[in-house]
Amino acid sequence: NLRRAEGLLERMQSLHAETGDIDLAPNTMNFNVVVGALTSLAGSVRKRNSVRRRGGGSGDDHYNYDQQNKHQNDALERAEQLVKHMHQLYDSGANRRCKPDTVTYNSIITAYSKRSGTVRGSAEKAESILKIMMEAGKKKGNGQTLNTPVPDSWTFNSVLSAWARSGAPYGADRASSVLTWMQDYYDAGHSNARPDVVSVSIVVTALASSASRGDKNAALQAETIIDRMQRIYDAGQNEAMKPDALSYTALMRCWANTGEKGAASKTQSILRRMHRMYENGNNDVKPDTVMYNVVLSALDKGRERGSARRAEALLKEMEELYESTGDDDVRPTTVSYSTVMSAWSRSGEKGAAEKAESILRRMQDQWDAGNQYARPNTVAYASVINAWAKSGEAGAARRAERLLQRMQDSYDAGNPDVKPNCISCTSVIEAWANSGEEGALSSAETILQRMVDLSKAGDRDVRPNAVTFNTVIKAVVRCRGLGWDRANKAREMLKRMEDAHIRPTVISYNSVLSACAATFPPNDENSGGDFEKKKSDVYQSASNTLNELRSDSRIKPDAYTYPAMFKTCSNTLNVEKDWGKVSDVIDACCDDGLFDERVFNFLKNFAPEKELKEKLGIKGNQKITDVRPEQLPSAWSRNVRQRNNGKRRGGAKRQENRQRRPQGKKAHNNTI
């Protein structure tokens, strides 16, 4: 249809050129229809792309993103060329009926606004067009005649949306500046560019996004904007600036996203203020489910003492309001219940898992009573399962597995919303790993095998991932009674992971190293040569694991890697006899820039002082216990993160930081 419209427009231009009949000359509206269709295509392609990116699939199921982006760019380029053509026709006198107007330019700006979340520079382009239009407006106000149209409220709001969607760290600041321009432009007499509640809500939403990225001033800035908005409305200067539920909800989100102490209380106080305003007759700020859910989310994220109880009390308030008034605007939803369950799960309080499960039962009661918006789903069950997994309470793993079975039974009975997935299954595995119960490892492996079998049968939702295997390895580390089999069992799980085409993470390797470090039954010391061979095998398993980690180009050892490796050395090696092996691990640790205080203190406790001093190049009579990590070459600890601010020490490039190596270091070949 778009091609036909373009063809028809071209035909009209040709007929006008051939006949000179002014009635056949396309006018501004004709051009705007095609420009609008082209810019709409530019935006709709991006939307379909984003859906496909989230949707998974492979092969023919995927869009060719490069080709789609080409279509998008081509559509916008054709639209801009068409606008230039309109100017040429009008300015030359060839067609005085096709002067570009504000609608023409707004179509282009709207397209850039829709692209701003995916195409860098789109917001800047939208703003540059706005500036041209504003300048034209100023000159027209001075009596000059220009062919560029002036901006209106839609123009400004589209540019505001472009910055809000951009994801740029300065996006909220730019949106705030554009809002100021809009107000100044309106105050200068341009009544068609009046700021309204939509304008302000867009800026506050942008500030909410900025707050989620760590902008500590965003919430206060948003509150200042809302207060100013209210003053302008109260003074009768602009009735379109009256704050409504949307603008206050955006303000609440802004506070919630800061994650700061007291943010949840701030959102709750705004909700109370809205209740008072509504009760005093302001129907535009009627509290609804969305607002309640924002407060619940703030309580969940805040993790302050008592947050879960406050969240449950607020949920109870929603239930009572809904039951007493029948008002669908305040009915609790699946999100409401799931958020409170999550709050209990995160709380760490005694009895939190039981509380979370009681919320799940209340949710089920609401659903059974006819609240179609409170349907239990996979996320809700996963929150409760996670609460049991982290509870540390007796019988927690069985309670978690019972919920997983309930999910499966409900799904088999025809409820697709509670289908077990990888997250819920992995949480049950974690519950068993944390339980310390006899048979915990066997139960964890049974669930893993079930996930593998189901995924092979075509159920991709339960396909185990790296986190799943890491959790099973954690169960290996914590399992009682494995004895010397612990290291082998962990290595076996690592191999199963690779055989399943799941790439191990640094946590995977570290967990295997932890298993090796925990493989040392003291009551087996009298088994003679066999005992020494078992220790040697465990050391070799750890050494192989560390070498595999260091040779993986995707990941690097971290602060947990070498403490586990040195503990394995301490448990399995005769340090004086096998000093060469310990020395090689020290070399690797320094080469990876992870020789931190924890590693150094561990070495002080088990390594011979003379050999360690020589290895580290410490001269004189200074005791090893008096040496501080700061006295050693900074290159050895360049990848250590400081606990106080999370920043790396040093910061220069690897080669530039390598001041000197430990004494006696061999040429590095990436193996130990």
Side-chain angles (χ1 to χ4, degrees):
N1 288 338
L2 174 58
R3 289 294 185 185
R4 291 175 63 187
E6 287 183 287
L8 183 59
L9 183 64
E10 291 174 3
R11 178 62 176 159
M12 292 176 70
Q13 294 182 77
S14 297
L15 288 173
H16 172 242
E18 292 170 4
T19 65
D21 187 347
I22 192 63
D23 292 333
L24 293 176
N27 59 23
T28 300
M29 184 179 293
N30 300 138
F31 276 96
N32 283 350
V33 168
V34 179
V35 171
L38 285 166
T39 54
S40 178
L41 174 62
S44 64
V45 172
R46 182 198 62 80
K47 187 174 181 179
R48 288 201 302 271
N49 267 350
S50 63
V51 170
R52 277 297 181 178
R53 286 182 189 276
R54 293 192 298 267
S58 59
D60 294 337
D61 293 335
H62 280 288
Y63 279 98
N64 184 319
Y65 299 129
D66 290 339
Q67 189 65 25
Q68 289 297 315
N69 287 334
K70 183 179 181 300
H71 288 324
Q72 181 186 30
N73 294 334
D74 179 61
L76 188 52
E77 183 178 340
R78 279 152 56 198
E80 291 185 304
Q81 289 298 325
L82 200 55
V83 175
K84 289 181 181 178
H85 185 53
M86 291 174 70
H87 274 294
Q88 291 168 355
L89 290 173
Y90 182 82
D91 294 343
S92 67
N95 182 358
R96 302 293 289 181
R97 302 178 66 197
C98 66
K99 181 180 180 180
D101 61 9
T102 301
V103 174
T104 314
Y105 274 63
N106 282 351
S107 295
I108 302 294
I109 288 177
T110 299
Y112 278 113
S113 177
K114 290 180 178 179
R115 289 158 54 94
S116 62
T118 56
V119 181
R120 184 177 298 176
S122 294
E124 287 86 349
K125 183 65 175 178
E127 185 180 302
S128 70
I129 298 172
L130 170 63
K131 288 179 178 178
I132 293 171
M133 297 175 74
M134 288 176 65
E135 187 62 27
K138 292 176 183 177
K139 291 181 178 179
K140 285 184 179 180
N142 293 329
Q144 299 182 44
T145 301
L146 296 174
N147 294 334
T148 303
V150 298
D152 60 10
S153 296
W154 181 281
T155 316
F156 279 99
N157 287 346
S158 294
V159 177
L160 290 172
S161 294
W163 282 117
R165 291 170 173 160
S166 69
Y170 47 85
D173 288 338
R174 295 305 312 144
S176 298
S177 296
V178 173
L179 181 61
T180 300
W181 298 350
M182 188 179 189
Q183 184 64 53
D184 293 343
Y185 193 74
Y186 172 70
D187 291 342
H190 301 278
S191 58
N192 59 336
R194 181 172 68 170
D196 55 21
V197 66
V198 174
S199 314
V200 174
S201 296
I202 292 171
V203 175
V204 176
T205 299
L207 287 166
S209 297
S210 185
S212 67
R213 293 192 294 269
D215 185 350
K216 301 300 183 183
N217 297 319
L220 288 173
Q221 189 176 349
E223 187 129 24
T224 300
I225 291 172
I226 295 292
D227 289 344
R228 182 182 178 221
M229 183 181 181
Q230 185 69 56
R231 287 195 304 273
I232 291 173
Y233 173 76
D234 291 342
Q237 297 173 355
N238 185 354
E239 61 182 16
M241 290 285 272
K242 182 182 180 181
D244 63 2
L246 182 63
S247 49
Y248 276 108
T249 301
L251 175 60
M252 293 164 66
R253 281 204 175 97
C254 205
W255 278 110
N257 288 349
T258 64
E260 292 186 344
K261 186 176 181 180
S265 297
K266 191 68 179 178
T267 61
Q268 204 160 2
S269 70
I270 296 171
L271 178 63
R272 297 298 173 225
R273 191 200 317 172
M274 295 176 72
H275 267 292
R276 290 192 298 271
M277 294 167 67
Y278 176 66
E279 290 166 1
N280 289 330
N282 186 350
N283 293 328
D284 292 333
V285 294
K286 180 185 178 184
D288 60 16
T289 299
V290 174
M291 300 172 198
Y292 273 94
N293 285 348
V294 171
V295 181
L296 291 174
S297 177
L299 289 165
D300 178 29
K301 293 176 182 176
R303 304 189 192 184
E304 296 178 27
R305 187 173 182 83
S307 289
R309 295 184 188 280
R310 289 167 61 192
E312 185 172 353
L314 197 62
L315 177 64
K316 182 66 175 175
E317 180 182 314
M318 293 178 72
E319 290 174 333
E320 291 174 350
L321 272 173
Y322 177 56
E323 291 168 5
S324 63
T325 64
D327 187 354
D328 285 345
D329 288 342
V330 291
R331 61 184 164 192
T333 64
T334 299
V335 172
S336 312
Y337 286 100
S338 297
T339 305
V340 178
M341 285 184 264
S342 175
W344 276 116
S345 175
R346 295 169 185 254
S347 71
E349 294 186 28
K350 186 176 181 180
E354 193 67 67
K355 283 283 190 180
E357 190 162 350
S358 72
I359 300 296
L360 179 62
R361 287 193 292 269
R362 281 163 59 179
M363 184 181 186
Q364 185 67 53
D365 291 342
Q366 280 277 332
W367 168 255
D368 293 340
N371 182 355
Q372 300 296 309
Y373 292 87
R375 182 169 186 149
N377 62 12
T378 300
V379 174
Y381 272 92
S383 292
V384 182
I385 290 172
N386 187 51
W388 281 115
K390 294 179 177 178
S391 69
E393 297 181 22
R398 286 179 171 77
R399 294 288 294 270
E401 189 156 8
R402 197 180 305 157
L403 284 168
L404 182 64
Q405 187 59 52
R406 192 190 304 172
M407 291 176 71
Q408 187 65 54
D409 293 342
S410 183
Y411 174 71
D412 292 341
N415 183 359
D417 293 333
V418 294
K419 184 178 186 296
N421 60 14
C422 177
I423 294 174
S424 51
C425 293
T426 300
S427 292
V428 177
I429 292 175
E430 183 176 17
W432 280 114
N434 293 340
S435 70
E437 295 184 23
E438 186 176 348
L441 177 58
S442 176
S443 297
E445 288 188 285
T446 298
I447 297 170
L448 173 63
Q449 189 58 52
R450 190 189 314 155
M451 294 171 72
V452 171
D453 293 341
L454 287 171
S455 62
K456 285 182 178 178
D459 187 350
R460 296 184 62 84
D461 291 335
V462 295
R463 183 176 185 268
N465 57 20
V467 176
T468 311
F469 279 94
N470 292 347
T471 308
V472 178
I473 297 174
K474 183 168 81 170
V476 172
V477 175
R478 298 184 176 185
C479 180
R480 300 174 183 174
L482 273 180
W484 291 106
D485 291 331
R486 192 183 310 277
N488 289 336
K489 191 73 174 176
R491 288 282 297 173
E492 174 192 322
M493 198 57 60
L494 191 64
K495 185 176 186 308
R496 284 185 63 183
M497 188 176 185
E498 294 167 338
D499 290 344
H501 305 291
I502 298 172
R503 304 184 81 168
T505 66
V506 65
I507 294 175
S508 312
Y509 290 111
N510 286 348
S511 297
V512 175
L513 289 173
S514 295
C516 293
T519 307
F520 183 67
N523 57 358
D524 201 23
E525 291 189 26
N526 297 322
S527 57
D530 190 43
F531 176 68
E532 293 302 321
K533 182 180 183 306
K534 288 176 179 178
K535 289 201 297 182
S536 177
D537 290 344
V538 171
Y539 169 79
Q540 195 58 52
S541 293
S543 179
N544 291 341
T545 302
L546 180 58
N547 287 332
E548 289 166 15
L549 167 56
R550 299 184 74 226
S551 63
D552 192 324
S553 60
R554 301 171 302 111
I555 54 179
K556 296 178 180 179
D558 64 15
Y560 297 94
T561 304
Y562 285 99
M565 186 65 201
F566 281 118
K567 185 176 180 182
T568 304
C569 292
S570 175
N571 289 344
T572 61
L573 299 178
N574 181 322
V575 181
E576 294 184 356
K577 179 182 176 182
D578 297 317
W579 177 247
K581 294 179 179 179
V582 178
S583 177
D584 287 344
V585 178
I586 294 174
D587 288 340
C589 183
C590 293
D591 193 64
D592 290 335
L594 291 168
F595 195 91
D596 61 7
E597 189 169 6
R598 183 181 177 190
V599 167
F600 194 20
N601 288 339
F602 194 86
L603 285 170
K604 289 176 185 179
N605 290 331
F606 91 93
E609 181 170 9
K610 178 182 176 183
E611 284 81 353
L612 184 58
K613 285 180 63 177
E614 181 180 347
K615 183 68 182 176
L616 301 181
I618 299 169
K619 308 293 185 181
N621 297 324
Q622 185 179 16
K623 293 184 178 180
I624 193 68
T625 53
D626 295 333
V627 179
R628 301 293 301 163
E630 294 78 16
Q631 297 174 244
L632 302 175
S634 62
W636 297 357
S637 58
R638 67 188 177 280
N639 292 324
V640 174
R641 291 188 178 275
Q642 296 282 37
R643 294 184 181 180
N644 59 344
N645 57 16
K647 295 181 180 179
R648 293 183 188 277
R649 213 161 47 194
K653 293 181 180 179
R654 179 169 178 162
Q655 295 298 329
E656 295 171 347
N657 255 326
R658 193 169 295 179
Q659 297 176 7
R660 62 186 176 91
R661 294 177 174 178
Q663 297 295 314
K665 180 170 175 62
K666 304 172 185 176
H668 177 55
N669 62 2
N670 212 39
T671 59
I672 297 172

